[in-house]
Amino acid sequence: MVAPALSSHGISKAFTTGHITQQVIKDSSLDIFPGELTLVVGPSGSGKSTLLSILAGLLRPDSGHVLSLGVDLWTLKEAEIDRFRLNHCGFIFQGFNLFSPLTALENVILPLQYLGIRGGSAERRARRALDEVGLGPRAHLRPIELSGGEKQRVAIARALVKEPQLIFADEPTSALDKTNGQITVDLLKRIAHEHRAMVLGVTHDPRLLSHADRVIELEDGYVKSDRRSSTTVEEPHHAPD
Amino acid sequence: MVSLARSSLVYDWRRYAAAVFAITFAGLLVLVQLALLLGLFGTVSVAIDQSDADLWIGYPKTQSVDLGRPLPPGSTVNAWMHRSVRRVEPLTFAIGDLRRPDGVAVSVFLYGIEPVPEGLAFARKLTPEQRRLLDEPDAVIIDVADQAKLGANVGALVEINGKRARIAGIVEGIRGVGTVSVLTSRASLRRFSPDLGTTTTYQLVALRSGARPARVAGEIADAGGIKRYGVWTAEDFSVQSQIYWLLESGVGIGTGFASALALLVGVVITSQTLGGAILASLKEFAALRALGVSNASLRQVVLEQSWWLGLIGLGLTGLLTAASAWLGDTAHVAMSFPWWLLLGVSAVILAVALGSGLLALRPLYQADPANLLR
Ligand SMILES: Nc1ncnc2c1ncn2[C@@H]1O[C@H](COP(=O)(O)OP(=O)(O)OP(=O)(O)O)[C@@H](O)[C@H]1O
Ligand SMILES: [Mg+2]
């Protein structure tokens, strides 16, 4: 049995706007495992993004614990959480969020520099990451010269280049068409399998669910169902434990 | 090494051009104004600064060198008796009317100096040969900047106060504020302005080497209850004269106000530009925050940008200042660019840029990565 990369214990989160307090996450406990693509689905407003933010160390929960790679994340100081994310976390967002003045390669190199990796070794790693998402030949282009699907793959390379154990993706495909969406999800799955990384995604696109190793359905702040896809677990390129 | 700051500046230069121009023109405005002011008020005290006197004896409480009044006799007795005093020399000022060769009259400021080789007055401007020229009766020396105004070349015959005078030589840099300066010997000056009699406006005092001017000034001061004369060190008298005109004319206040305004506008435009650039890339910055890049590192990006803007602005200011200085030089406009002014304005320019960067940081705190997840 593999130990979970990330587990939450009794986390809850409420938002107060004006006089109205809305309990978005209610006493949620989850284990997310490395080496597989886990997708969280649920209706709009069900708290998927909020849950992901809390698990990723971006949003402080009102109560509960997040055990991330064995670290009790929300007991750390702000700067230590930044450092934890820098060392261990990759992110992919719906909006790509690439710097337009920088080429694809430079966008991928940038986070490495903050890890103290510079020069030739940073460039080699960035090129390898871009090769892995199939964008090696387009590394010199700026975001404006790339298609949406290509931009998202650059963003994946940027998340991947640090070789993080934890990768978070919020609606990574919702700005993409069907084909590009599937390419992106398959890429995320391959990364989970080949790098033995935990990939936790959020989506409301039901077409992607069949590509996931595990699907967690969220409704009104509760986990409604938690399914494991038997077909994907048996996939040939899934590295044996 | 990928520099987000530099790449953004190059890629988005149109956006940043406004900031560069704001910094450049703020810097240029401050520098040229101060240079003009220094040039202008430097000329107020030109008689002091270009002479070799250590001390000046003049009418008591004279606020500026050009406001000198006739000295009462006996003002130099103390000076002559002091053992540190090497030389005492009279210098006489007078206002006169110069009639050009073509008949046009111009008001002039006349300096009557001792035309001896060891003379102190304008010793830093006049060569011994030029001094000797003034030995000749009726000989005068004018400033090259006034040459056109006086319509006269060397050798030209003019009239001063209705008496014949001859342009014997031309020097550069004796002109005062808004006046035409004419150098002549005291003997000639008495001929031009007979009512001066034997009075003199100042007595220039040179000290033996090693003597302390400030101390000697106190020792040769008028000890009487009602002072008949005052004694200043050359340095004090020069500064005092410049400050008098700075305050009296209101130019100093005007310049200070205009400089402050220019800097303020520079800061506002630059910080707005930088702030706008941050807001335009807020999501990208937030994505970096999510990836674990600290707030401090993002601040560094902005400050690096403002630093580069400052350097570019500084370079452009340098070029434009050189051009202004050249123009001023060609037009004989007195401008002074002492090293401390250049250094000071450079520091101010960089401070404007960095200060703008600091002011622009506020939008950065909106780069909350949780906002990217919705
Ligand atoms: N910062 C906030 N302030 C106030 N309310 C918030 C905030 N963030 C989220 N909410 C509320 O919490 C609820 C859950 O939001 P969340 O973004 O997690 O939903 P979601 O499941 O990701 O929805 P979608 O599928 O539309 O992205 C929503 O009702 C939203 O209005
Ligand atoms: Mg969402």
Side-chain angles (χ1 to χ4, degrees), chain A residues 175-220:
Chain A
L176 304 175
D177 60 28
K178 183 165 172 262
T179 324
N180 275 308
Q182 277 172 7
I183 292 173
T184 301
V185 169
D186 284 336
L187 196 52
L188 290 176
K189 185 157 93 175
R190 210 181 74 213
I191 288 164
H193 294 179
E194 287 177 4
H195 295 262
R196 304 301 300 153
M198 179 212 83
V199 181
L200 178 60
V202 157
T203 185
H204 55 228
D205 187 348
R207 291 172 304 190
L208 302 177
L209 301 185
S210 59
H211 297 256
D213 298 310
R214 180 185 173 197
V215 175
I216 297 169
E217 206 179 328
L218 215 60
E219 201 172 287
D220 284 337

Side-chain angles (χ1 to χ4, degrees), chain A residues 43-50 94 170-171 202-204, chain B residues 372-374:
Chain A
S44 184
S46 57
K48 306 181 296 291
S49 297
T50 306
Q94 176 182 347
D170 187 53
E171 313 274 11
V202 157
T203 185
H204 55 228
Chain B
L372 293 177
L373 307 184
R374 273 294 158 84

Side-chain angles (χ1 to χ4, degrees), chain B residues 125-160:
Chain B
K125 276 292 167 204
L126 296 180
T127 60
E129 290 76 45
Q130 287 170 322
R131 253 177 218 290
R132 212 168 303 127
L133 291 176
L134 292 183
D135 250 344
E136 310 240 335
D138 313 332
V140 299
I141 289 177
I142 60 170
D143 193 296
V144 63
D146 295 327
Q147 215 182 332
K149 202 187 268 178
L150 297 180
N153 288 316
V154 174
L157 290 177
V158 295
E159 274 182 11
I160 294 176

Side-chain angles (χ1 to χ4, degrees), chain A residues 129-193:
Chain A
L130 282 167
D131 282 340
E132 192 164 347
V133 299
L135 280 181
R138 302 182 77 68
H140 59 286
L141 297 179
R142 292 211 163 76
I144 200 166
E145 298 155 316
L146 296 170
S147 75
E150 287 169 334
K151 276 189 268 206
Q152 193 57 300
R153 276 143 70 196
V154 175
I156 292 174
R158 178 172 70 176
L160 191 64
V161 72
K162 299 192 293 179
E163 289 164 18
Q165 293 105 306
L166 311 172
I167 295 174
F168 300 90
D170 187 53
E171 313 274 11
T173 62
S174 59
L176 304 175
D177 60 28
K178 183 165 172 262
T179 324
N180 275 308
Q182 277 172 7
I183 292 173
T184 301
V185 169
D186 284 336
L187 196 52
L188 290 176
K189 185 157 93 175
R190 210 181 74 213
I191 288 164
H193 294 179

